[in-house]
Amino acid sequence: MSSLKKILALFLAAIMVISLAACSSVPTSLNKEWSYKSDSQEYPVGMYIFCLYSAYRQAYSALSENLGDKFDSTASILDLSSTFDETDTVYLCKDWIKSEADKICRNLVALDMEIEKYGITLDPEIVESARNQAKDDWYLGPYYEYSSDYSTAYKDLMEPYGISFESYFLGSVNLAKVKQSALFNYFYNKGGVKEVPESEIKAYFEKEYTSYSYFTVNFFTSTRDESGTTTTIPFSEDKEEDMKKTLANYCVMLEEGESFENVAKEYMSYAGLEEDPTISNTEVLSLTALPDEVAKVLKDLPEGKSKVVLTGTEKSQLAYLLYKAPIKDATEEYLKVDTNYTQILTKLKGDEFIDYMLKITDDVKCEVNQSYIDKCDPKMFESNL
């Protein structure tokens, strides 16, 4: 997969950042000139520098992975030669960075031109929400909500290179996601010019998704002493056998038509629980967080059937009482949620949309301020070496 294709697949995934410092290789008039220009819009050079930096970080990551222990993080990467995608084509790193930055910029220009071409209006509230998210990253850093000690404001990283907030936002994942989503929905969502029939959506959902419920039962007790040390005590053989019989009886009840809700209530009464232990989900099993052995049993389990799966060690066994519901019973409820519907649309039409985005990027007609861009040397990002 090409680097640009990976970016598109992640809706221009957020770029990694490292500490930056201004240096003499930074052009002196970043805020005064344009870099790319369409018939209706000029793009500031600050946006180009942002894309150049994104390409630099992609190259850095690829070289680090390709070279492994031989990678020298203290040396310049620009004169190294390597492959950067699955084509196995070898590039001089600094040439690849410039080429990739050009592709990213052309993609952003093409995206705007397509939105204008089809008369798509972006939702002002969604754009404003994206702007506010970008401002948080700009002034506080992307990890501020987790720890202010480890979050560096993008403002401090980007401004030494003449990248203003508006240039950053123009090329950011925040705004690109809004635009790509609007274009994707224009084509494929309900009422779109290439609307996917609801029957196709339902067929995909009922083939790929699984609806299930379960609760877990410990076959052990735990005690903690004054020092905080936890001791696990397995059930006696008699108690373990009694619990297995109880769970087996619940399976019979389910297969005779009893609801999982009522079975869970009976277990709550039996175990003296005040809170319902049931977990229900509808998902693609290849993406589940369930333990592998549980997911495998669930995958092979016929709809409307239940089974007890034991996991863990002899001293700390954990039982899952699984019930696999008929997927058609979940279709209407699941698909009425817009995000779920769009998620399936993306799985059905995502590759087609990415191919379309790559094509318009290749075909886009725009002016490039080449004489100025040639002055933008990626070595500026290595000023701290």
Side-chain angles (χ1 to χ4, degrees):
M1 180 182 290
S2 69
S3 184
L4 179 58
K5 191 169 184 178
K6 288 179 182 178
I7 294 175
L8 292 171
L10 296 172
F11 281 141
L12 294 177
I15 64 171
M16 297 166 59
V17 294
I18 57 174
S19 296
L20 308 177
C23 70
S24 59
S25 62
V26 181
T28 58
S29 56
L30 288 178
N31 289 320
K32 299 178 182 179
E33 298 199 43
W34 58 271
S35 57
Y36 288 72
K37 183 191 294 185
S38 68
D39 290 341
S40 59
Q41 186 170 349
E42 287 187 357
Y43 296 82
V45 292
M47 188 195 79
Y48 172 75
I49 295 294
F50 182 70
C51 294
L52 189 70
Y53 178 63
S54 177
Y56 176 87
R57 289 308 304 161
Q58 292 172 52
Y60 188 96
S61 179
L63 286 167
S64 176
E65 182 178 349
N66 293 345
L67 295 177
D69 294 339
K70 295 180 180 179
F71 181 71
D72 184 357
S73 62
T74 65
S76 172
I77 66 171
L78 299 180
D79 292 323
L80 297 178
S81 294
S82 182
T83 59
F84 296 94
D85 54 47
E86 83 290 348
T87 65
D88 291 331
T89 303
V90 176
Y91 297 91
L92 185 64
C93 183
K94 59 187 174 185
D95 293 340
W96 184 88
I97 291 171
K98 296 281 280 189
S99 174
E100 195 66 15
D102 175 66
K103 289 179 184 177
I104 296 172
C105 286
R106 288 178 181 274
N107 175 258
L108 294 171
V109 174
L111 180 58
D112 284 340
M113 291 176 70
E114 292 298 281
I115 287 175
E116 182 180 3
K117 172 183 174 180
Y118 293 114
I120 298 171
T121 301
L122 302 180
D123 187 321
E125 290 186 7
I126 296 177
V127 173
E128 186 61 23
S129 176
R131 180 180 289 273
N132 289 335
Q133 291 170 11
K135 281 184 178 178
D136 286 344
D137 291 342
W138 183 255
Y139 290 107
L140 301 175
Y143 307 112
Y144 185 83
E145 62 181 301
Y146 303 107
S147 173
S148 59
D149 295 334
Y150 296 98
S151 185
T152 303
Y154 282 179
K155 178 178 185 293
D156 297 336
L157 300 172
M158 302 298 173
E159 281 190 340
Y161 296 93
I163 303 171
S164 67
F165 171 75
E166 289 303 324
S167 291
Y168 160 71
F169 182 56
L170 194 58
S172 72
V173 61
N174 310 84
L175 185 57
K177 284 172 64 176
V178 173
K179 292 177 179 179
Q180 291 193 16
S181 294
L183 191 56
F184 182 87
N185 289 332
Y186 172 81
F187 286 128
Y188 303 114
N189 219 320
K190 296 175 182 178
V193 294
K194 297 182 180 180
E195 180 179 0
V196 179
E198 188 173 342
S199 58
E200 188 175 340
I201 299 289
K202 288 182 176 180
Y204 180 88
F205 171 75
E206 292 171 2
K207 177 183 177 184
E208 300 294 335
Y209 284 68
T210 299
S211 180
Y212 63 91
S213 297
Y214 73 89
F215 59 77
T216 59
V217 178
N218 292 339
F219 277 39
F220 59 88
T221 57
S222 297
T223 58
R224 179 178 295 180
D225 60 25
E226 294 179 355
S227 67
T229 302
T230 300
T231 301
T232 299
I233 305 171
F235 282 178
S236 66
E237 289 186 8
D238 288 344
K239 190 172 183 180
E240 179 179 327
E241 189 63 27
D242 181 64
M243 182 59 74
K244 287 181 178 178
K245 288 180 180 178
T246 298
L247 293 175
N249 184 54
Y250 291 158
C251 287
V252 172
M253 292 170 61
L254 288 166
E255 295 188 16
E256 288 180 347
E258 190 60 81
S259 69
F260 196 88
E261 180 183 10
N262 286 341
V263 168
K265 286 180 180 178
E266 184 156 332
Y267 171 67
M268 289 171 64
S269 176
Y270 172 83
L273 301 178
E274 294 183 359
E275 294 186 6
D276 188 349
T278 300
I279 295 177
S280 298
N281 205 355
T282 301
E283 63 179 349
V284 178
L285 284 183
S286 61
L287 303 176
T288 188
L290 289 171
D292 290 344
E293 62 266 42
V294 177
K296 185 178 185 306
V297 171
L298 186 57
K299 179 181 178 181
D300 297 334
L301 192 65
E303 290 186 349
K305 298 293 184 179
S306 62
K307 192 167 186 176
V308 176
V309 183
L310 293 176
T311 65
T313 66
E314 287 186 15
K315 293 185 177 181
S316 57
Q317 280 194 325
L318 181 70
Y320 283 75
L321 177 64
L322 293 173
Y323 173 71
K324 188 172 183 177
I327 191 62
K328 289 187 177 182
D329 292 349
T331 302
E332 182 177 352
E333 190 69 21
Y334 190 89
L335 294 183
K336 75 179 183 181
V337 179
D338 288 342
T339 53
N340 293 342
Y341 193 92
T342 302
Q343 181 183 59
I344 293 178
L345 272 180
T346 303
K347 291 177 179 178
L348 285 170
K349 295 298 181 180
D351 288 343
E352 180 180 309
F353 183 71
I354 289 172
D355 289 343
Y356 154 74
M357 289 299 299
L358 291 172
K359 185 177 187 309
I360 64 172
T361 299
D362 289 340
D363 295 344
V364 67
K365 304 297 182 184
C366 61
E367 289 186 60
V368 180
N369 190 349
Q370 198 64 51
S371 63
Y372 187 84
I373 282 176
D374 287 343
K375 301 176 186 177
C376 299
D377 193 331
K379 72 181 180 181
M380 71 177 81
F381 307 129
E382 299 186 329
S383 59
N384 59 333
L385 295 179

